Amino acid sequence: MSQPGQTPPPPPPAPDYTTYGAPGFPGGQQSGGQQYGTGEWYGGQQFGADQYGFGAAPQKSFLAAWLFSLFLGGLGVDRFYLGKIGTGIAKLLTLGGLGVWSLVDLVITLAGRQTDKNRRPLAGYAQHKKVAVIVSVVLLAVSLVMSVFIGLGAMVAIQQASTSPIVSAAPVTESGGPGSSGEPTASEETAAGEDRPRLEAQTLTGTGDDVKTVDLKGVPAVVTFTCKACSGNTVLETNGAEMLLVNTVGAYAGSHLVDTSPGVPTTEFAISADSAWTLKIEDIDSVPASTGKASGSGDMVLYWDAPSDKAAITNKGEGSFLVQGFGSEIPELAVNKIGAYSGTVQLTPGFVQVNSDGDWTITAK
């Protein structure tokens, strides 16, 4: 306290906080909502869940997104799961962009590039990516193989559905014909085929290589090719569905069915021979009928009129041996072997094509 008459001392100077800062306020700065975030603001930035992650929704699972993309991607389920509702609806309406969009999303997910609607990466990618890639590749490969087989099966089914069987009524034939061991077939038994056009028999001849144009009226026919003096390559081809009928060395005599089903009709025969040959074209009514047993040598067409659909077949040839039946709606390959053969097979009554280079027999069981 100052004495009377004395000048009071000056007040102490105000503290200088510019160097070290005022207590509790660094750098001499004053506290305020714009500086340190009183309320919900810090430095002009909003302090909340979306900024710093406190209370934010958890990350979407990579495992779930991958499974949805792999199995339900065509329905957009993976995008609905990630919160991308708009593109999920678009993906659903386009069935996954006809598969392309689904595949692209799957690749993006497997590459770790997929995010949720907030552009956050998916949780668990590093942990599950290897298994996810392996499983996806295996399933896609299996799906591809199955698609190929399903497509081939569909093509075969369509072809079979559009293919009517060869006329299965017994032909009109006289007894004692080649390979015939039963009674002659009555003409009324051909009633099922009365509406189809008949072919007039025609015989084509020549020497050496040649191409012959024919008109088979789009109906099945039997062609008998003979070249008794041939010694080199002997070939008979068509531009129809059967294509290669004869391909041998030396002399040849045999018969074949052509145009057994709708499709590519035969209009030309190409012959390759080194000697004189004969090509006879006849209606299938000329085919000999066999009621219980048939036998022959080499290539032959016959009508199998047996009481059952089981037959014992033998072959003594050394080359390809083929027995194909046309009695059912779908042609049946009863035998397809190389060399000698003996066995019992299913053979539906109807027209039969035999290809052999030796003696053969067919006996009803």
Side-chain angles (χ1 to χ4, degrees):
M1 179 180 292
S2 63
Q3 297 296 324
Q6 291 181 344
T7 302
D16 183 4
Y17 296 121
T18 59
T19 303
Y20 300 101
F25 304 103
Q29 304 292 331
Q30 295 299 315
S31 172
Q34 296 296 320
Q35 191 66 30
Y36 284 96
T38 58
E40 295 186 355
W41 297 89
Y42 175 82
Q45 300 291 331
Q46 186 175 5
F47 187 90
D50 288 344
Q51 184 68 23
Y52 293 96
F54 298 106
Q59 287 177 280
K60 296 295 184 180
S61 166
F62 162 76
L63 193 60
W66 163 62
L67 290 173
F68 286 144
S69 180
L70 182 62
F71 295 107
L72 299 172
L75 301 178
V77 176
D78 53 333
R79 287 191 167 261
F80 287 123
Y81 170 73
L82 296 173
K84 302 176 181 180
I85 305 302
T87 52
I89 294 174
K91 194 174 181 182
L92 172 62
L93 296 177
T94 60
L95 296 179
L98 299 179
V100 176
W101 194 350
S102 299
L103 181 60
V104 170
D105 271 355
L106 178 61
V107 172
I108 291 175
T109 302
L110 292 174
R113 302 290 184 180
Q114 190 64 275
T115 61
D116 62 12
K117 68 174 182 178
N118 295 318
R119 304 200 175 199
R120 294 181 303 173
L122 305 181
Y125 173 71
Q127 179 182 358
H128 301 293
K129 65 177 182 179
K130 186 174 181 180
V131 173
V133 170
I134 294 174
V135 172
S136 298
V137 171
V138 171
L139 289 180
L140 289 175
V142 171
S143 299
L144 180 61
V145 172
M146 290 180 62
S147 298
V148 171
F149 279 105
I150 291 173
L152 292 175
M155 291 176 60
V156 171
I158 292 173
Q159 182 178 8
Q160 290 176 348
S162 62
T163 300
S164 60
I166 188 172
V167 178
S168 58
V172 179
T173 182
E174 296 181 359
S175 59
S180 176
S181 59
E183 294 298 325
T185 306
S187 59
E188 57 267 19
E189 295 183 16
T190 65
E194 283 296 336
D195 292 336
R196 68 176 181 83
R198 297 305 203 268
L199 286 177
E200 294 293 334
Q202 52 182 310
T203 301
L204 308 176
T205 59
T207 301
D209 299 347
D210 202 350
V211 176
K212 295 293 186 179
T213 301
V214 296
D215 180 12
L216 303 185
K217 300 181 181 180
V219 298
V222 180
V223 296
T224 302
F225 181 65
T226 306
C227 186
K228 296 181 178 179
C230 284
S231 58
N233 290 332
T234 305
V235 179
L236 175 63
E237 298 177 279
T238 81
N239 64 344
E242 287 75 18
M243 299 179 66
L244 186 62
L245 299 180
V246 179
N247 185 15
T248 189
V249 176
Y252 177 84
S255 59
H256 298 265
L257 284 168
V258 296
D259 292 355
T260 57
S261 61
V264 182
T266 298
T267 59
E268 288 183 351
F269 288 97
I271 300 98
S272 178
D274 59 4
S275 185
W277 49 264
T278 300
L279 180 64
K280 188 175 182 180
I281 304 172
E282 299 174 281
D283 191 89
I284 57 173
D285 278 351
S286 64
V287 174
S290 300
T291 56
K293 184 173 182 179
S295 61
S297 181
D299 301 340
M300 182 183 292
V301 178
L302 59 95
Y303 185 86
W304 184 241
D305 191 19
S308 72
D309 61 355
K310 297 293 189 295
I313 300 177
T314 65
N315 176 57
K316 296 182 179 179
E318 298 179 354
S320 176
F321 178 55
L322 181 147
V323 179
Q324 187 172 16
F326 296 90
S328 61
E329 292 185 0
I330 301 175
E332 54 189 11
L333 188 59
V335 182
N336 185 13
K337 299 292 184 179
I338 301 293
Y341 174 80
S342 178
T344 299
V345 298
Q346 178 172 321
L347 186 62
T348 305
F351 288 92
V352 175
Q353 172 74 62
V354 180
N355 291 82
S356 175
D357 61 358
D359 297 334
W360 50 265
T361 63
I362 304 176
T363 306
K365 299 293 287 185

